C-alpha cells in the first residue's frame, strides 16, 4: 500500500505528499489548506483570485478558473512540475445561485454546472493520467446534501451536486483497479461566505432543523476530507459521506 510520508513542510520539496485543491482561499477549502499543510503536505490551491491576503507562506496559490479546461490543464501541469505528481486532489470550488427554477437564465445554468461539475471533470481529467502512472492517488470532491435530496430554490445547484455524486461513484469503479480511491464529502449548511446570502433568521431556522442544532464548521468538513485522504480510509471508495449534523438521515 502507498504510504504517505509526513515530513516538514518545505516549499518545493518533491518528497512531500502533494495536495491539489480548488477554492483553497476561503471557507471549507481554506480549512483544508491549513490542515493538510500542518500535516506536512505540499499544497497547491487554484482559485480565480489566486493568492489571498492571508496567504500561507508554504502554499502555492495559482490563479485559475476551474470552468476553463485549458487553464486547469496547464496549471495542474505547472503545479506537478513545481511540487511533484498530485497524491490527493480535492475538487472543492463551488458556487450557489438561489432562485425559482423558471427565473434561472442560460448563463446561470452554465455558471453553476460548469463550476460545480465541470470543475470536477476538468481537474480529474488533468490528474488521472499521473495517478494511473503512479498506481496510487486519492480523489475527493466536496458535494452537498442538496445533491442527494434536492433543495427548493436551489434546483441548478442540486443538479450540479447530483452529477458530482454520480461521477464520483463511477470514477471509483473505474479507477479502483489502478489503486486510486474516489469519494465525496457531502456537507450540510456550513458557516462560510456561501451562507452569507442568508439572514441570521434563516440560519437560525436551518440550525433548528438540524438535530445537532447548529451550522457546520469548515474545519469539520476538512477533518473528514483529511481522514478520507489517509491510509486510515484505505478500504473506502465510491462513497458520499454526509457531514450535516443529522439534517439528512
Ligand atoms: P466559499 O464561497 O466560502 O468559497 C468558495 C471557494 O471556491 C473560494 O476559494 C473561491 O475563490 C473558489 N471558487 C469559486 N468559483 C471558482 C472558480 N470558477 N474557479 C476557481 N475557484 C473558484 O464556499 P464554501 O467554502 O462554502 O464551499 C466550498 C464547497 O463546499 C463548494 O463546492 C460548496 O458547494 C460546498 N458546500 C458548501 C456548503 C455551505 O453551506 N457552505 C454546504 C454544502 C456544500 P475565488 O472566488 O477567488 O475563485
Amino acid at each position: 500500500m502507498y504510504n504517505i510520508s509526513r515530513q516538514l513542510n518545505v516549499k518545493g520539496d518533491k518528497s512531500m505528499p502533494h495536495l491539489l485543491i480548488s477554492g483553497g482561499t476561503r471557507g471549507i477549502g481554506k480549512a483544508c489548506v491549513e490542515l493538510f499543510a500542518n500535516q506536512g503536505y505540499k499544497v497547491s490551491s487554484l482559485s480565480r483570485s489566486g493568492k489571498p491576503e492571508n496567504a500561507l507562506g508554504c502554499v502555492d496559490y495559482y490563479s485559475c478558473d476551474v470552468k476553463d479546461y485549458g487553464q486547469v490543464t496547464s496549471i495542474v501541469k505547472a503545479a506537478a512540475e513545481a511540487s511533484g505528481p498530485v497524491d490527493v486532489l480535492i475538487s472543492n470550488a463551488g458556487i450557489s445561485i438561489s432562485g425559482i427554477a423558471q427565473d434561472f437564465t442560460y448563463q446561470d445554468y452554465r455558471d453553476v454546472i460548469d463550476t460545480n461539475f465541470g470543475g470536477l471533470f476538468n481537474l480529474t481529467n488533468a490528474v488521472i493520467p499521473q495517478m494511473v502512472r503512479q498506481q496510487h492517488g486519492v480523489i475527493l470532491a466536496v458535494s452537498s446534501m442538496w445533491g442527494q435530496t434536492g433543495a427548493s430554490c436551489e434546483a441548478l445547484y442540486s443538479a450540479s451536486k447530483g452529477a458530482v455524486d454520480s461521477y464520483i461513484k463511477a470514477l471509483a469503479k473505474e479507477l479502483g483497479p489502478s489503486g486510486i480511491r474516489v469519494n465525496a464529502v457531502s456537507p450540510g449548511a456550513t458557516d462560510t461566505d456561501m451562507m452569507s446570502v442568508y439572514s441570521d433568521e434563516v440560519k437560525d431556522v436551518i440550525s433548528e432543523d438540524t438535530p445537532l442544532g447548529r451550522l457546520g464548521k469548515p474545519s469539520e468538513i476538512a477533518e473528514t476530507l483529511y481522514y478520507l485522504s489517509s491510509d486510515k480510509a484505505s478500504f473506502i471508495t465510491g462513497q458520499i459521506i454526509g457531514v450535516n449534523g443529522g439534517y439528512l438521515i
Side-chain angles (χ1 to χ4, degrees), residues 87-118:
D87 298 290
V88 178
L89 166 70
I90 301 181
S91 175
N92 162 73
I95 58 166
S96 155
I97 302 179
S98 300
I100 56 174
Q102 72 216 46
D103 286 347
F104 286 134
T105 63
Y106 179 76
Q107 194 57 48
D108 292 335
Y109 156 65
R110 288 261 57 106
D111 287 344
V112 173
I113 301 293
D114 291 352
T115 304
N116 296 358
F117 176 67

PDB file of all heavy atoms in Angstrom, residues 87-118:
ATOM      1  N   ASP A  87      -0.794  13.678  -5.217  1.00  0.00           N
ATOM      2  CA  ASP A  87      -1.186  12.497  -4.433  1.00  0.00           C
ATOM      3  C   ASP A  87      -2.654  12.556  -4.056  1.00  0.00           C
ATOM      4  O   ASP A  87      -3.346  11.545  -4.039  1.00  0.00           O
ATOM      5  CB  ASP A  87      -0.347  12.420  -3.148  1.00  0.00           C
ATOM      6  CG  ASP A  87       1.132  12.262  -3.454  1.00  0.00           C
ATOM      7  OD1 ASP A  87       1.517  11.185  -3.930  1.00  0.00           O
ATOM      8  OD2 ASP A  87       1.888  13.231  -3.258  1.00  0.00           O
ATOM      9  N   VAL A  88      -3.123  13.775  -3.709  1.00  0.00           N
ATOM     10  CA  VAL A  88      -4.524  13.960  -3.299  1.00  0.00           C
ATOM     11  C   VAL A  88      -5.101  15.152  -4.052  1.00  0.00           C
ATOM     12  O   VAL A  88      -4.504  16.234  -4.063  1.00  0.00           O
ATOM     13  CB  VAL A  88      -4.634  14.221  -1.781  1.00  0.00           C
ATOM     14  CG1 VAL A  88      -6.086  14.463  -1.379  1.00  0.00           C
ATOM     15  CG2 VAL A  88      -4.035  13.079  -0.972  1.00  0.00           C
ATOM     16  N   LEU A  89      -6.233  14.933  -4.719  1.00  0.00           N
ATOM     17  CA  LEU A  89      -6.983  16.035  -5.351  1.00  0.00           C
ATOM     18  C   LEU A  89      -8.246  16.281  -4.530  1.00  0.00           C
ATOM     19  O   LEU A  89      -8.974  15.334  -4.217  1.00  0.00           O
ATOM     20  CB  LEU A  89      -7.387  15.648  -6.783  1.00  0.00           C
ATOM     21  CG  LEU A  89      -8.458  16.552  -7.426  1.00  0.00           C
ATOM     22  CD1 LEU A  89      -7.896  17.943  -7.727  1.00  0.00           C
ATOM     23  CD2 LEU A  89      -9.009  15.923  -8.697  1.00  0.00           C
ATOM     24  N   ILE A  90      -8.498  17.537  -4.180  1.00  0.00           N
ATOM     25  CA  ILE A  90      -9.812  17.890  -3.607  1.00  0.00           C
ATOM     26  C   ILE A  90     -10.458  18.907  -4.538  1.00  0.00           C
ATOM     27  O   ILE A  90      -9.998  20.044  -4.671  1.00  0.00           O
ATOM     28  CB  ILE A  90      -9.700  18.474  -2.188  1.00  0.00           C
ATOM     29  CG1 ILE A  90      -9.017  17.482  -1.247  1.00  0.00           C
ATOM     30  CG2 ILE A  90     -11.097  18.829  -1.665  1.00  0.00           C
ATOM     31  CD1 ILE A  90      -8.885  17.974   0.200  1.00  0.00           C
ATOM     32  N   SER A  91     -11.528  18.487  -5.216  1.00  0.00           N
ATOM     33  CA  SER A  91     -12.307  19.397  -6.049  1.00  0.00           C
ATOM     34  C   SER A  91     -13.342  20.043  -5.132  1.00  0.00           C
ATOM     35  O   SER A  91     -14.352  19.422  -4.781  1.00  0.00           O
ATOM     36  CB  SER A  91     -12.984  18.618  -7.184  1.00  0.00           C
ATOM     37  OG  SER A  91     -13.818  19.486  -7.918  1.00  0.00           O
ATOM     38  N   ASN A  92     -13.036  21.271  -4.724  1.00  0.00           N
ATOM     39  CA  ASN A  92     -13.858  21.921  -3.687  1.00  0.00           C
ATOM     40  C   ASN A  92     -14.577  23.169  -4.204  1.00  0.00           C
ATOM     41  O   ASN A  92     -15.665  23.495  -3.738  1.00  0.00           O
ATOM     42  CB  ASN A  92     -12.941  22.288  -2.505  1.00  0.00           C
ATOM     43  CG  ASN A  92     -13.544  23.323  -1.593  1.00  0.00           C
ATOM     44  OD1 ASN A  92     -14.463  23.035  -0.831  1.00  0.00           O
ATOM     45  ND2 ASN A  92     -13.056  24.568  -1.680  1.00  0.00           N
ATOM     46  N   ALA A  93     -13.978  23.881  -5.160  1.00  0.00           N
ATOM     47  CA  ALA A  93     -14.547  25.162  -5.606  1.00  0.00           C
ATOM     48  C   ALA A  93     -15.996  24.959  -6.043  1.00  0.00           C
ATOM     49  O   ALA A  93     -16.306  24.026  -6.780  1.00  0.00           O
ATOM     50  CB  ALA A  93     -13.732  25.740  -6.752  1.00  0.00           C
ATOM     51  N   GLY A  94     -16.849  25.847  -5.583  1.00  0.00           N
ATOM     52  CA  GLY A  94     -18.250  25.744  -5.975  1.00  0.00           C
ATOM     53  C   GLY A  94     -18.944  27.072  -5.810  1.00  0.00           C
ATOM     54  O   GLY A  94     -18.484  27.942  -5.064  1.00  0.00           O
ATOM     55  N   ILE A  95     -20.044  27.232  -6.532  1.00  0.00           N
ATOM     56  CA  ILE A  95     -20.881  28.426  -6.375  1.00  0.00           C
ATOM     57  C   ILE A  95     -22.332  27.982  -6.228  1.00  0.00           C
ATOM     58  O   ILE A  95     -22.703  26.880  -6.640  1.00  0.00           O
ATOM     59  CB  ILE A  95     -20.756  29.392  -7.578  1.00  0.00           C
ATOM     60  CG1 ILE A  95     -21.125  28.689  -8.889  1.00  0.00           C
ATOM     61  CG2 ILE A  95     -19.374  30.009  -7.644  1.00  0.00           C
ATOM     62  CD1 ILE A  95     -21.342  29.640 -10.050  1.00  0.00           C
ATOM     63  N   SER A  96     -23.107  28.881  -5.644  1.00  0.00           N
ATOM     64  CA  SER A  96     -24.530  28.590  -5.461  1.00  0.00           C
ATOM     65  C   SER A  96     -25.333  29.785  -5.957  1.00  0.00           C
ATOM     66  O   SER A  96     -24.958  30.927  -5.693  1.00  0.00           O
ATOM     67  CB  SER A  96     -24.766  28.348  -3.967  1.00  0.00           C
ATOM     68  OG  SER A  96     -26.087  28.619  -3.623  1.00  0.00           O
ATOM     69  N   ILE A  97     -26.373  29.530  -6.722  1.00  0.00           N
ATOM     70  CA  ILE A  97     -27.284  30.608  -7.133  1.00  0.00           C
ATOM     71  C   ILE A  97     -28.683  30.200  -6.704  1.00  0.00           C
ATOM     72  O   ILE A  97     -29.156  29.123  -7.075  1.00  0.00           O
ATOM     73  CB  ILE A  97     -27.253  30.838  -8.665  1.00  0.00           C
ATOM     74  CG1 ILE A  97     -25.826  31.167  -9.137  1.00  0.00           C
ATOM     75  CG2 ILE A  97     -28.214  31.969  -9.053  1.00  0.00           C
ATOM     76  CD1 ILE A  97     -25.704  31.387 -10.646  1.00  0.00           C
ATOM     77  N   SER A  98     -29.311  31.050  -5.874  1.00  0.00           N
ATOM     78  CA  SER A  98     -30.657  30.733  -5.385  1.00  0.00           C
ATOM     79  C   SER A  98     -31.700  31.442  -6.234  1.00  0.00           C
ATOM     80  O   SER A  98     -31.470  32.543  -6.727  1.00  0.00           O
ATOM     81  CB  SER A  98     -30.815  31.199  -3.937  1.00  0.00           C
ATOM     82  OG  SER A  98     -29.882  30.552  -3.119  1.00  0.00           O
ATOM     83  N   GLY A  99     -32.850  30.828  -6.365  1.00  0.00           N
ATOM     84  CA  GLY A  99     -33.952  31.443  -7.107  1.00  0.00           C
ATOM     85  C   GLY A  99     -34.908  30.380  -7.582  1.00  0.00           C
ATOM     86  O   GLY A  99     -34.618  29.181  -7.497  1.00  0.00           O
ATOM     87  N   ILE A 100     -36.069  30.826  -8.075  1.00  0.00           N
ATOM     88  CA  ILE A 100     -37.013  29.827  -8.568  1.00  0.00           C
ATOM     89  C   ILE A 100     -36.583  29.387  -9.960  1.00  0.00           C
ATOM     90  O   ILE A 100     -36.017  30.167 -10.741  1.00  0.00           O
ATOM     91  CB  ILE A 100     -38.469  30.317  -8.535  1.00  0.00           C
ATOM     92  CG1 ILE A 100     -38.655  31.614  -9.311  1.00  0.00           C
ATOM     93  CG2 ILE A 100     -38.945  30.484  -7.103  1.00  0.00           C
ATOM     94  CD1 ILE A 100     -40.112  32.030  -9.413  1.00  0.00           C
ATOM     95  N   ALA A 101     -36.846  28.117 -10.255  1.00  0.00           N
ATOM     96  CA  ALA A 101     -36.272  27.479 -11.441  1.00  0.00           C
ATOM     97  C   ALA A 101     -36.570  28.255 -12.718  1.00  0.00           C
ATOM     98  O   ALA A 101     -35.696  28.429 -13.571  1.00  0.00           O
ATOM     99  CB  ALA A 101     -36.782  26.042 -11.546  1.00  0.00           C
ATOM    100  N   GLN A 102     -37.805  28.764 -12.855  1.00  0.00           N
ATOM    101  CA  GLN A 102     -38.165  29.413 -14.118  1.00  0.00           C
ATOM    102  C   GLN A 102     -37.440  30.742 -14.336  1.00  0.00           C
ATOM    103  O   GLN A 102     -37.413  31.261 -15.449  1.00  0.00           O
ATOM    104  CB  GLN A 102     -39.677  29.622 -14.199  1.00  0.00           C
ATOM    105  CG  GLN A 102     -40.196  30.697 -13.280  1.00  0.00           C
ATOM    106  CD  GLN A 102     -41.563  30.349 -12.725  1.00  0.00           C
ATOM    107  OE1 GLN A 102     -41.817  29.233 -12.264  1.00  0.00           O
ATOM    108  NE2 GLN A 102     -42.483  31.289 -12.772  1.00  0.00           N
ATOM    109  N   ASP A 103     -36.864  31.291 -13.262  1.00  0.00           N
ATOM    110  CA  ASP A 103     -36.140  32.560 -13.394  1.00  0.00           C
ATOM    111  C   ASP A 103     -34.658  32.389 -13.732  1.00  0.00           C
ATOM    112  O   ASP A 103     -33.981  33.367 -14.049  1.00  0.00           O
ATOM    113  CB  ASP A 103     -36.240  33.379 -12.095  1.00  0.00           C
ATOM    114  CG  ASP A 103     -37.622  33.986 -11.917  1.00  0.00           C
ATOM    115  OD1 ASP A 103     -38.396  33.970 -12.899  1.00  0.00           O
ATOM    116  OD2 ASP A 103     -37.925  34.446 -10.807  1.00  0.00           O
ATOM    117  N   PHE A 104     -34.151  31.176 -13.616  1.00  0.00           N
ATOM    118  CA  PHE A 104     -32.733  30.988 -13.934  1.00  0.00           C
ATOM    119  C   PHE A 104     -32.498  31.256 -15.417  1.00  0.00           C
ATOM    120  O   PHE A 104     -33.299  30.861 -16.274  1.00  0.00           O
ATOM    121  CB  PHE A 104     -32.276  29.563 -13.596  1.00  0.00           C
ATOM    122  CG  PHE A 104     -32.119  29.289 -12.124  1.00  0.00           C
ATOM    123  CD1 PHE A 104     -32.631  28.130 -11.556  1.00  0.00           C
ATOM    124  CD2 PHE A 104     -31.451  30.194 -11.300  1.00  0.00           C
ATOM    125  CE1 PHE A 104     -32.486  27.872 -10.201  1.00  0.00           C
ATOM    126  CE2 PHE A 104     -31.301  29.940  -9.937  1.00  0.00           C
ATOM    127  CZ  PHE A 104     -31.822  28.783  -9.389  1.00  0.00           C
ATOM    128  N   THR A 105     -31.369  31.896 -15.712  1.00  0.00           N
ATOM    129  CA  THR A 105     -31.011  32.170 -17.104  1.00  0.00           C
ATOM    130  C   THR A 105     -30.114  31.055 -17.624  1.00  0.00           C
ATOM    131  O   THR A 105     -29.573  30.251 -16.844  1.00  0.00           O
ATOM    132  CB  THR A 105     -30.235  33.490 -17.204  1.00  0.00           C
ATOM    133  OG1 THR A 105     -29.009  33.349 -16.469  1.00  0.00           O
ATOM    134  CG2 THR A 105     -31.041  34.659 -16.629  1.00  0.00           C
ATOM    135  N   TYR A 106     -29.918  31.062 -18.933  1.00  0.00           N
ATOM    136  CA  TYR A 106     -28.992  30.093 -19.528  1.00  0.00           C
ATOM    137  C   TYR A 106     -27.598  30.291 -18.923  1.00  0.00           C
ATOM    138  O   TYR A 106     -26.893  29.320 -18.650  1.00  0.00           O
ATOM    139  CB  TYR A 106     -28.948  30.267 -21.054  1.00  0.00           C
ATOM    140  CG  TYR A 106     -27.987  29.309 -21.704  1.00  0.00           C
ATOM    141  CD1 TYR A 106     -28.322  27.965 -21.867  1.00  0.00           C
ATOM    142  CD2 TYR A 106     -26.724  29.730 -22.126  1.00  0.00           C
ATOM    143  CE1 TYR A 106     -27.433  27.067 -22.430  1.00  0.00           C
ATOM    144  CE2 TYR A 106     -25.830  28.846 -22.693  1.00  0.00           C
ATOM    145  CZ  TYR A 106     -26.185  27.519 -22.837  1.00  0.00           C
ATOM    146  OH  TYR A 106     -25.298  26.635 -23.393  1.00  0.00           O
ATOM    147  N   GLN A 107     -27.211  31.561 -18.681  1.00  0.00           N
ATOM    148  CA  GLN A 107     -25.882  31.826 -18.114  1.00  0.00           C
ATOM    149  C   GLN A 107     -25.767  31.283 -16.687  1.00  0.00           C
ATOM    150  O   GLN A 107     -24.719  30.750 -16.303  1.00  0.00           O
ATOM    151  CB  GLN A 107     -25.577  33.336 -18.155  1.00  0.00           C
ATOM    152  CG  GLN A 107     -24.104  33.659 -17.905  1.00  0.00           C
ATOM    153  CD  GLN A 107     -23.169  32.950 -18.891  1.00  0.00           C
ATOM    154  OE1 GLN A 107     -23.401  32.987 -20.097  1.00  0.00           O
ATOM    155  NE2 GLN A 107     -22.133  32.279 -18.375  1.00  0.00           N
ATOM    156  N   ASP A 108     -26.869  31.396 -15.896  1.00  0.00           N
ATOM    157  CA  ASP A 108     -26.857  30.791 -14.549  1.00  0.00           C
ATOM    158  C   ASP A 108     -26.571  29.291 -14.659  1.00  0.00           C
ATOM    159  O   ASP A 108     -25.764  28.730 -13.902  1.00  0.00           O
ATOM    160  CB  ASP A 108     -28.215  30.968 -13.849  1.00  0.00           C
ATOM    161  CG  ASP A 108     -28.519  32.417 -13.500  1.00  0.00           C
ATOM    162  OD1 ASP A 108     -27.571  33.214 -13.340  1.00  0.00           O
ATOM    163  OD2 ASP A 108     -29.723  32.752 -13.394  1.00  0.00           O
ATOM    164  N   TYR A 109     -27.291  28.661 -15.599  1.00  0.00           N
ATOM    165  CA  TYR A 109     -27.130  27.212 -15.810  1.00  0.00           C
ATOM    166  C   TYR A 109     -25.677  26.884 -16.136  1.00  0.00           C
ATOM    167  O   TYR A 109     -25.064  25.993 -15.533  1.00  0.00           O
ATOM    168  CB  TYR A 109     -28.092  26.776 -16.924  1.00  0.00           C
ATOM    169  CG  TYR A 109     -27.734  25.531 -17.679  1.00  0.00           C
ATOM    170  CD1 TYR A 109     -27.695  24.287 -17.048  1.00  0.00           C
ATOM    171  CD2 TYR A 109     -27.459  25.591 -19.043  1.00  0.00           C
ATOM    172  CE1 TYR A 109     -27.369  23.147 -17.757  1.00  0.00           C
ATOM    173  CE2 TYR A 109     -27.141  24.455 -19.755  1.00  0.00           C
ATOM    174  CZ  TYR A 109     -27.082  23.234 -19.103  1.00  0.00           C
ATOM    175  OH  TYR A 109     -26.752  22.112 -19.800  1.00  0.00           O
ATOM    176  N   ARG A 110     -25.094  27.619 -17.073  1.00  0.00           N
ATOM    177  CA  ARG A 110     -23.708  27.349 -17.480  1.00  0.00           C
ATOM    178  C   ARG A 110     -22.765  27.573 -16.296  1.00  0.00           C
ATOM    179  O   ARG A 110     -21.857  26.776 -16.045  1.00  0.00           O
ATOM    180  CB  ARG A 110     -23.289  28.236 -18.651  1.00  0.00           C
ATOM    181  CG  ARG A 110     -23.920  27.875 -19.960  1.00  0.00           C
ATOM    182  CD  ARG A 110     -22.982  27.042 -20.847  1.00  0.00           C
ATOM    183  NE  ARG A 110     -22.510  25.817 -20.224  1.00  0.00           N
ATOM    184  CZ  ARG A 110     -22.926  24.598 -20.520  1.00  0.00           C
ATOM    185  NH1 ARG A 110     -23.853  24.408 -21.421  1.00  0.00           N
ATOM    186  NH2 ARG A 110     -22.405  23.551 -19.933  1.00  0.00           N
ATOM    187  N   ASP A 111     -22.960  28.687 -15.571  1.00  0.00           N
ATOM    188  CA  ASP A 111     -22.036  29.020 -14.472  1.00  0.00           C
ATOM    189  C   ASP A 111     -22.052  27.942 -13.381  1.00  0.00           C
ATOM    190  O   ASP A 111     -21.002  27.512 -12.909  1.00  0.00           O
ATOM    191  CB  ASP A 111     -22.401  30.379 -13.855  1.00  0.00           C
ATOM    192  CG  ASP A 111     -22.026  31.539 -14.766  1.00  0.00           C
ATOM    193  OD1 ASP A 111     -21.226  31.332 -15.711  1.00  0.00           O
ATOM    194  OD2 ASP A 111     -22.535  32.652 -14.538  1.00  0.00           O
ATOM    195  N   VAL A 112     -23.254  27.525 -12.988  1.00  0.00           N
ATOM    196  CA  VAL A 112     -23.345  26.571 -11.874  1.00  0.00           C
ATOM    197  C   VAL A 112     -22.851  25.190 -12.294  1.00  0.00           C
ATOM    198  O   VAL A 112     -22.033  24.567 -11.595  1.00  0.00           O
ATOM    199  CB  VAL A 112     -24.797  26.497 -11.332  1.00  0.00           C
ATOM    200  CG1 VAL A 112     -24.927  25.392 -10.289  1.00  0.00           C
ATOM    201  CG2 VAL A 112     -25.202  27.828 -10.730  1.00  0.00           C
ATOM    202  N   ILE A 113     -23.318  24.721 -13.447  1.00  0.00           N
ATOM    203  CA  ILE A 113     -22.911  23.377 -13.878  1.00  0.00           C
ATOM    204  C   ILE A 113     -21.422  23.348 -14.229  1.00  0.00           C
ATOM    205  O   ILE A 113     -20.698  22.412 -13.870  1.00  0.00           O
ATOM    206  CB  ILE A 113     -23.760  22.894 -15.078  1.00  0.00           C
ATOM    207  CG1 ILE A 113     -25.256  22.860 -14.704  1.00  0.00           C
ATOM    208  CG2 ILE A 113     -23.270  21.522 -15.576  1.00  0.00           C
ATOM    209  CD1 ILE A 113     -25.661  21.838 -13.668  1.00  0.00           C
ATOM    210  N   ASP A 114     -20.962  24.375 -14.927  1.00  0.00           N
ATOM    211  CA  ASP A 114     -19.547  24.371 -15.368  1.00  0.00           C
ATOM    212  C   ASP A 114     -18.581  24.545 -14.201  1.00  0.00           C
ATOM    213  O   ASP A 114     -17.441  24.089 -14.271  1.00  0.00           O
ATOM    214  CB  ASP A 114     -19.302  25.467 -16.409  1.00  0.00           C
ATOM    215  CG  ASP A 114     -19.996  25.160 -17.732  1.00  0.00           C
ATOM    216  OD1 ASP A 114     -20.531  24.044 -17.880  1.00  0.00           O
ATOM    217  OD2 ASP A 114     -20.003  26.040 -18.608  1.00  0.00           O
ATOM    218  N   THR A 115     -19.010  25.218 -13.130  1.00  0.00           N
ATOM    219  CA  THR A 115     -18.133  25.346 -11.951  1.00  0.00           C
ATOM    220  C   THR A 115     -18.216  24.079 -11.100  1.00  0.00           C
ATOM    221  O   THR A 115     -17.199  23.438 -10.822  1.00  0.00           O
ATOM    222  CB  THR A 115     -18.545  26.558 -11.075  1.00  0.00           C
ATOM    223  OG1 THR A 115     -18.545  27.734 -11.881  1.00  0.00           O
ATOM    224  CG2 THR A 115     -17.578  26.731  -9.914  1.00  0.00           C
ATOM    225  N   ASN A 116     -19.412  23.707 -10.705  1.00  0.00           N
ATOM    226  CA  ASN A 116     -19.552  22.649  -9.695  1.00  0.00           C
ATOM    227  C   ASN A 116     -19.295  21.254 -10.259  1.00  0.00           C
ATOM    228  O   ASN A 116     -18.659  20.428  -9.599  1.00  0.00           O
ATOM    229  CB  ASN A 116     -20.943  22.706  -9.063  1.00  0.00           C
ATOM    230  CG  ASN A 116     -21.180  24.002  -8.302  1.00  0.00           C
ATOM    231  OD1 ASN A 116     -20.294  24.853  -8.217  1.00  0.00           O
ATOM    232  ND2 ASN A 116     -22.368  24.161  -7.760  1.00  0.00           N
ATOM    233  N   PHE A 117     -19.784  20.997 -11.465  1.00  0.00           N
ATOM    234  CA  PHE A 117     -19.486  19.692 -12.067  1.00  0.00           C
ATOM    235  C   PHE A 117     -18.327  19.789 -13.061  1.00  0.00           C
ATOM    236  O   PHE A 117     -17.412  18.956 -13.051  1.00  0.00           O
ATOM    237  CB  PHE A 117     -20.719  19.077 -12.757  1.00  0.00           C
ATOM    238  CG  PHE A 117     -20.351  17.794 -13.447  1.00  0.00           C
ATOM    239  CD1 PHE A 117     -19.973  16.684 -12.710  1.00  0.00           C
ATOM    240  CD2 PHE A 117     -20.337  17.703 -14.833  1.00  0.00           C
ATOM    241  CE1 PHE A 117     -19.569  15.509 -13.327  1.00  0.00           C
ATOM    242  CE2 PHE A 117     -19.952  16.522 -15.463  1.00  0.00           C
ATOM    243  CZ  PHE A 117     -19.578  15.421 -14.704  1.00  0.00           C
ATOM    244  N   GLY A 118     -18.341  20.834 -13.904  1.00  0.00           N
ATOM    245  CA  GLY A 118     -17.266  20.987 -14.899  1.00  0.00           C
ATOM    246  C   GLY A 118     -15.904  21.106 -14.234  1.00  0.00           C
ATOM    247  O   GLY A 118     -14.911  20.575 -14.741  1.00  0.00           O
TER     248      GLY A 118
END
